[in-house]
Amino acid sequence: MGVQGLASFLENHRRIHREVQFRRSRLVIDGCNLNYLLYFSSGLDENHGEEYAAFERLVESFISALRSCDISPYVVLDGASDVSDKKDETLARRSEERVQKASQAATSSRPMHVLPQLAKLVFRQTLVRLEVPVAQCFAESDQEIAALASEWKCPVLSNDSDFFIFDLPAGFLPISHFCWKEVKRSGSQNFISCRRFYTSSFCIFFGIQRQLLPTFAALAGNDYVKLREIRWTQFVPEDQGKPHRLEGLLRWLQDFQQPQDALEAALGLMGDLSTKTREELLQKLHQGMEGYELCPSSLSRFFLHGVPPELSVGLVPLWMLLPLTQARLTADVLDVLHLHTMTGLSPVVEPEELRSSNQISRRIRQVMYGLLLCNTESLQVREIDRDGLKLRSIPVSPMFTRTSKRFKLSSLNQVMALFNLKVLFIIRSTSGVPQRSSWTSCSRRTALIVCRFYWRAEPPPDPSLLKALLQGISSGPDLSVCVAGLQRADRSCTQKLDINVVYSFNQWQVCLKNSIWLNQLLGFPLPEPDIARLFEGTLVHQLVHNMRTGGKPKTLMKSDRTSKEQYRTMLSILHQVQAQQAGVGSENREKASTRKQEQQEPLKEPPLNLQQLFLLHHHEETDPEAHIDVQTLEELQLEEQLSVRTRFKTKDRSNRCNKVQTDPEEGLQGAGHNLTGVGPPN
């Protein structure tokens, strides 16, 4: 939602605001609004793959500032799209504007405020790690935020102009005037200087009735209705200087006591209208006003007692309500269930002539659609994605496997918990990698699984991109240190945007994001990777530049033997997996691939399957939960995997005993990828 031009209009009427010292209070925060404003107001990179580690530190600093003033934050996030069509026009227009901005950023290299596609995940992960209460709504969050703040009698922090209209007992704090970076002290208490806005002050200043504020918002034009035909500036006195349309509307409203009278009079200003047009406009105006009606809060019980809100629509099983409210499950699943639509394919910085990066990970989403829609094979999901500079509705069929057809969404969580098949469906959309004793990071294991889709990028990622990606992943918690080290080591490294590198890493990020969505739906068979310690766009861009210009990142991992070993191990594993998959095509090609693999890769393993991915997360020798009941496997028609699992474990132990190592310097072979031309970090 949002009242067009209201925030800037009120900047010229500062007497309405009160300058306050804010401390010792609850604070309900518009999470999506804060996410955008924190990233865009801090000069973080927007075009080179983004700075997630720096963004994480920024969120940490913000929460630390609040807590130093005894302010208890409660963050509320947006949920699914509106199931009605009341805002379709507005949402479509905004989405196309974001596509335009993303294309402009790609061609001009200028920041155009296109939010990095993993920033929301970093924001949520950081808040959870800091133990900040977070709730994700089932729909748009504005009403829920206002209702919660009204019940708790605490203010709202946001920059959304709709909160100038909600009648909040404790007022509204605009983020743009919330000086959290400069915590001050008075006596024994810290405080944050800010402006507090009350609707009572607004109404007194402009001389209108409080019950007319929603009417003012609807007539001014919000996300539901636009009345462009009325020239409100005609009601501003000529001696007032340059007239403002909101000033004229407010002066006009001074003559009314009740909303309905004002609405009828506004339609009268539009001249002769047909009965049908009049009724349609009146309905839209009422819809625009309904968004400001406050109902009892559905989030208070969740924040205080952990009880999720109820959802009247019966398509969502009960077990999903808690992870949805906890933001441990993306709200995009609600759009798929309710509307058979995927609207979460946000535009990223890339030129219009290239196909959308989202296409590379479509198979992952198809598996997710298959789980959500169960056996309804006739249904298709409309993916709203860009085609050039235009948005298109692309029909996509869910992907069903022999196993997934046997389950229903309503009992999926019970099946996963009962049988402990934590990777039952992921194997259908990604390829697993074997367990290595020196490879302990779950985030890195997940990253390699995602690489299976990244190899399908168009154009395929070249050696420098893949090696830069693995080096960045291997850096772990020291990502920011590595960035600084590279900048010192290579002061000539240009920041000019290489759109091909950007496009390739866009594809990597969307594969990672969609894999995380699927992992969430499956109940986290793999721990969710820590994005801020897994991928840093500015780092991998500099690594690519460094390698392509003949340099060697000597400062990277030079004193960290663990990171270097993890890098070599991951490169070796990718070599093995890719070599196995390269044996498709003609018989001669298969023979050639086999000979080359025998020369370079003595560690030969059976084709990747469910058991390998299962062993990836649970090593049977150390985890008693890794045993799967034979009868269970037979019921799932997976009994044939038992022998594969046994052979794989025997072969793996045998190979480890032989102590034969694959040379990671040979890189990835096959499928158009050859990394032999680029050496490892020294």
Side-chain angles (χ1 to χ4, degrees), residues 11 37 233 342 357 394 428 435 457 516 520 526 536 565:
E11 282 294 313
L37 291 170
T233 54
M342 168 55 71
S357 297
I394 305 168
R428 300 300 185 182
Q435 173 78 22
I516 289 174
Q520 292 173 347
L526 295 174
E536 183 79 349
E565 177 61 25

Side-chain angles (χ1 to χ4, degrees), residues 328-371:
R328 288 171 53 83
L329 180 59
T330 175
D332 291 285
V333 301
L334 294 174
D335 284 345
V336 176
L337 289 170
H338 293 159
L339 307 174
H340 300 154
T341 302
M342 168 55 71
T343 59
L345 307 181
S346 53
V348 293
V349 176
E350 56 194 20
E352 60 180 291
E353 60 269 18
L354 296 177
R355 69 172 189 168
S356 169
S357 297
N358 293 308
Q359 293 188 31
I360 189 178
S361 59
R362 178 169 293 162
R363 187 182 175 192
I364 306 177
R365 297 191 299 274
Q366 286 178 285
V367 173
M368 186 171 72
Y369 302 154
L371 294 172

Side-chain angles (χ1 to χ4, degrees), residues 245-305:
R245 67 180 186 90
L246 296 183
E247 177 84 22
L249 172 57
L250 288 166
R251 287 182 177 272
W252 181 79
L253 283 172
Q254 291 174 357
D255 296 330
F256 299 93
Q257 297 292 321
Q258 298 300 324
Q260 188 62 28
D261 296 336
L263 295 179
E264 294 285 351
L267 294 180
L269 294 175
M270 300 178 68
D272 293 334
L273 299 173
S274 67
T275 302
K276 180 180 180 181
T277 301
R278 186 182 184 86
E279 291 177 354
E280 289 177 350
L281 287 174
L282 197 59
Q283 181 182 11
K284 287 185 177 181
L285 287 168
H286 280 294
Q287 288 175 345
M289 296 169 56
E290 288 171 359
Y292 303 104
E293 296 177 1
L294 294 185
C295 300
S297 171
S298 64
L299 293 180
S300 179
R301 290 182 64 206
F302 170 72
F303 278 127
L304 298 179
H305 307 293

Side-chain angles (χ1 to χ4, degrees), residues 553-566:
K554 297 182 179 180
T555 59
L556 186 65
M557 301 184 291
K558 70 176 184 178
S559 59
D560 187 349
R561 294 183 58 185
T562 301
S563 294
K564 183 180 290 188
E565 177 61 25
Q566 287 172 341

Side-chain angles (χ1 to χ4, degrees), residues 30-237:
D30 181 349
C32 293
N33 202 264
L34 177 65
N35 183 33
Y36 278 84
L37 291 170
L38 281 181
Y39 199 97
F40 293 143
S41 65
S42 302
L44 298 178
D45 180 84
E46 300 175 25
N47 298 343
H48 290 82
E50 299 74 44
E51 296 180 84
Y52 294 126
F55 182 50
E56 178 189 53
R57 294 193 298 273
L58 187 66
V59 176
E60 290 173 345
S61 298
F62 177 81
I63 298 302
S64 176
L66 296 183
R67 287 174 169 169
S68 70
C69 302
D70 293 328
I71 299 170
S72 301
Y74 293 83
V75 179
V76 182
L77 304 173
D78 271 333
S81 303
D82 193 333
V83 295
S84 70
D85 60 354
K86 294 184 293 185
K87 296 172 60 175
D88 280 359
E89 180 182 348
T90 298
L91 295 175
R93 174 178 52 81
R94 290 180 178 174
S95 296
E96 290 206 348
E97 288 175 355
R98 287 193 289 269
V99 171
Q100 298 274 354
K101 289 181 179 180
S103 178
Q104 292 175 22
T107 55
S108 67
S109 299
R110 297 197 311 269
M112 298 296 296
H113 284 190
V114 179
L115 188 70
Q117 56 184 318
L118 297 177
K120 292 181 181 179
L121 273 168
V122 174
F123 182 69
R124 189 260 296 168
Q125 288 180 344
T126 307
L127 293 177
V128 171
R129 181 172 52 79
L130 297 175
E131 299 182 344
V132 176
V134 177
Q136 179 176 253
C137 296
F138 296 151
E140 194 175 65
S141 63
D142 287 1
Q143 280 184 303
E144 291 290 349
I145 290 172
L148 182 64
S150 179
E151 181 174 323
W152 285 356
K153 292 182 173 54
C154 68
V156 168
L157 182 69
S158 176
N159 252 21
D160 192 325
S161 57
D162 278 323
F163 292 106
F164 288 114
I165 306 300
F166 285 110
D167 191 7
L168 303 173
F172 164 50
L173 310 180
I175 295 179
S176 53
H177 297 286
F178 193 73
C179 304
W180 63 272
K181 293 183 179 180
E182 301 174 3
V183 174
K184 299 179 181 179
R185 192 171 184 85
S186 176
S188 60
Q189 290 289 325
N190 291 340
F191 67 88
I192 294 175
S193 297
C194 61
R195 293 180 183 176
R196 193 190 299 244
F197 172 89
Y198 291 97
T199 54
S200 57
S201 300
F202 181 92
C203 293
I204 292 172
F205 184 85
F206 289 107
I208 67 170
Q209 300 297 317
R210 185 178 296 186
Q211 64 267 22
L212 290 177
L213 277 178
T215 309
F216 160 71
L219 292 174
N222 57 20
D223 289 352
Y224 294 99
V225 61
K226 307 289 185 296
L227 294 180
R228 300 182 179 89
E229 293 84 354
I230 302 177
R231 189 172 61 86
W232 295 112
T233 54
Q234 63 182 303
F235 301 106
V236 179

Side-chain angles (χ1 to χ4, degrees), residues 331-594:
D332 291 285
V333 301
L334 294 174
D335 284 345
V336 176
L337 289 170
H338 293 159
L339 307 174
H340 300 154
T341 302
M342 168 55 71
T343 59
L345 307 181
S346 53
V348 293
V349 176
E350 56 194 20
E352 60 180 291
E353 60 269 18
L354 296 177
R355 69 172 189 168
S356 169
S357 297
N358 293 308
Q359 293 188 31
I360 189 178
S361 59
R362 178 169 293 162
R363 187 182 175 192
I364 306 177
R365 297 191 299 274
Q366 286 178 285
V367 173
M368 186 171 72
Y369 302 154
L371 294 172
L372 291 169
L373 302 178
C374 299
N375 294 324
T376 51
E377 298 188 38
S378 60
L379 288 177
Q380 288 187 318
V381 176
R382 296 184 305 117
E383 292 194 341
I384 309 301
D385 199 5
R386 74 165 185 89
D387 180 9
L389 292 180
K390 297 295 183 180
L391 289 177
R392 295 285 185 265
S393 177
I394 305 168
V396 175
S397 298
M399 182 178 293
F400 300 95
T401 67
R402 180 180 60 181
T403 303
S404 65
K405 287 181 179 180
R406 300 173 65 87
F407 299 130
K408 294 182 179 180
L409 180 62
S410 59
S411 58
L412 178 61
N413 65 318
Q414 298 174 8
V415 171
M416 301 296 284
L418 178 62
F419 297 130
N420 198 27
L421 298 179
K422 296 189 174 182
V423 289
L424 181 59
F425 303 109
I426 292 182
I427 189 57
R428 300 300 185 182
S429 58
T430 57
S431 292
V433 290
Q435 173 78 22
R436 296 301 176 96
S437 59
S438 62
W439 185 28
T440 58
S441 168
C442 290
S443 290
R444 296 184 180 96
R445 291 202 291 271
T446 304
L448 282 190
I449 294 173
V450 174
C451 279
R452 171 66 179 85
F453 281 88
Y454 185 52
W455 288 331
R456 297 182 178 182
E458 292 293 342
D462 66 23
S464 60
L465 268 64
L466 283 168
K467 283 206 165 185
L469 179 61
L470 293 183
Q471 289 178 29
I473 293 171
S474 303
S475 302
D478 300 322
L479 277 174
S480 57
V481 177
C482 293
V483 173
L486 276 180
Q487 289 174 338
R488 289 191 299 270
D490 187 5
R491 298 186 182 276
S492 64
C493 179
T494 178
Q495 290 297 310
K496 184 179 179 180
L497 194 66
D498 186 328
I499 197 59
N500 292 324
V501 176
V502 172
Y503 183 67
S504 186
F505 285 132
N506 283 346
Q507 294 178 314
W508 153 257
Q509 290 191 73
V510 75
C511 286
L512 180 59
K513 180 174 71 172
N514 290 168
S515 296
I516 289 174
W517 287 357
L518 180 58
N519 191 48
Q520 292 173 347
L521 182 60
L522 295 173
F524 298 91
L526 295 174
E528 188 167 282
D530 191 342
I531 304 298
R533 289 163 178 76
L534 183 67
F535 179 81
E536 183 79 349
T538 51
L539 171 64
V540 293
H541 272 260
Q542 291 186 61
L543 285 169
V544 170
H545 171 80
N546 188 289
M547 286 186 280
R548 286 181 173 178
T549 54
K552 292 185 178 180
K554 297 182 179 180
T555 59
L556 186 65
M557 301 184 291
K558 70 176 184 178
S559 59
D560 187 349
R561 294 183 58 185
T562 301
S563 294
K564 183 180 290 188
E565 177 61 25
Q566 287 172 341
Y567 166 78
R568 293 177 182 272
T569 302
M570 286 193 293
L571 191 60
S572 175
I573 292 171
L574 288 182
H575 172 207
Q576 295 172 38
V577 175
Q578 190 72 348
Q580 291 169 359
Q581 296 176 347
V584 294
S586 66
E587 182 178 355
N588 291 335
R589 184 176 177 182
E590 289 183 6
K591 291 180 179 179
S593 177
T594 302

